[in-house]
Amino acid sequence: MARPRKFDETHALTAAMETFWRRGYEATSTRNLSDSTGLGQSSLYNTFGDKRELYLRALRHYYETHTAEQTALLDRPGPVKERLRDLMLHAVDTDLADPEASGCFTINASVEKADSDDEVREEVRRHFTTVERALAETIARGQRSGEISAERSAGTLARQILSTYYGLRVLARIQKDRDALLGIVESTVSAL
């Protein structure tokens, strides 16, 4: 006799995150969430609360996985400019490889929900602030080593790269020419 499969909350949360990411908050129904997580509607709500609470948890899960991956790219050893380039190239290649052109979940949330929901806005701000802080720390290391000019502050350069990075995430949804996106990456890095 087959044993029932043990419930894996992380797996269900990942499935819900991917559903919101692909469809957006408004277009995601409880049925979509039930189908993707494998949980019935009552089990879904008993486990995660209402749709909004599940959305917030999905954003937090994205932070713990994808945002952590972004900052880890900056934290590894090697030349600073190479790490900055790799961060942007990783985003470009990930986005271009996505057949659904889902983009960045944080950007999607900022456009769809951050203006009307304070908790979503704070969660999105946390994502952006974390990446900006990691960029500033990386750039400051490059300035101390002489790899990057100290003419402008690390914070200013971090915000510039952050804008380019998230701009690439948006452009990659519609611009499928990798060389065009690579040109943006190279001009950004060479301007440092």
Side-chain angles (χ1 to χ4, degrees):
M1 181 165 158
R3 300 177 85 182
R5 214 173 84 185
K6 183 180 175 198
F7 172 69
D8 182 344
E9 186 173 321
T10 301
H11 176 75
L13 187 55
T14 299
M17 176 190 74
E18 290 170 356
T19 302
F20 282 126
W21 190 351
R22 245 184 351 271
R23 300 178 63 84
Y25 179 81
E26 294 300 330
T28 299
S29 67
T30 304
R31 178 176 208 75
N32 297 138
L33 293 167
S34 291
D35 290 347
S36 68
T37 61
L39 295 171
Q41 290 183 17
S42 62
S43 295
L44 186 70
Y45 288 128
N46 287 337
T47 304
F48 296 110
D50 62 12
K51 177 181 166 181
R52 182 180 166 278
E53 183 58 34
L54 180 53
Y55 186 71
L56 287 166
R57 291 204 40 201
L59 279 169
R60 290 179 193 120
H61 185 62
Y62 184 84
Y63 178 86
E64 294 163 2
T65 55
H66 291 76
T67 302
E69 178 183 19
Q70 293 165 14
T71 58
L73 285 168
L74 295 170
D75 210 22
R76 57 173 220 240
V80 169
K81 286 185 178 183
E82 185 178 303
R83 286 185 272 159
L84 296 169
R85 180 183 292 109
D86 288 349
L87 172 71
M88 290 184 274
L89 288 177
H90 176 75
V92 166
D93 290 337
T94 299
D95 290 343
L96 290 178
D98 179 5
E100 295 183 40
S102 301
C104 170
F105 186 33
T106 305
I107 293 172
N108 299 351
S110 72
V111 171
E112 183 180 21
K113 292 289 291 172
D115 65 332
S116 63
D117 188 313
D118 291 341
E119 286 184 87
V120 171
R121 183 180 315 108
E122 286 307 310
E123 195 59 42
V124 167
R125 185 175 290 136
R126 180 170 77 121
H127 289 254
F128 290 168
T129 300
T130 298
V131 176
E132 181 181 333
R133 192 174 300 127
L135 284 166
E137 290 169 6
T138 302
I139 291 165
R141 282 193 296 270
Q143 288 175 324
R144 286 190 299 274
S145 73
E147 186 180 347
I148 294 177
S149 168
E151 189 175 305
R152 292 180 287 163
S153 75
T156 297
L157 291 173
R159 286 185 291 281
Q160 179 183 344
I161 292 172
L162 185 74
S163 296
T164 302
Y165 174 72
Y166 284 122
L168 286 165
R169 304 294 315 258
V170 173
L171 280 173
R173 293 182 80 169
I174 56 167
Q175 170 60 271
K176 299 303 179 186
D177 181 354
R178 185 180 188 274
D179 289 337
L181 298 171
L182 182 59
I184 296 168
V185 171
E186 293 305 330
S187 66
T188 300
V189 172
S190 67
L192 297 172

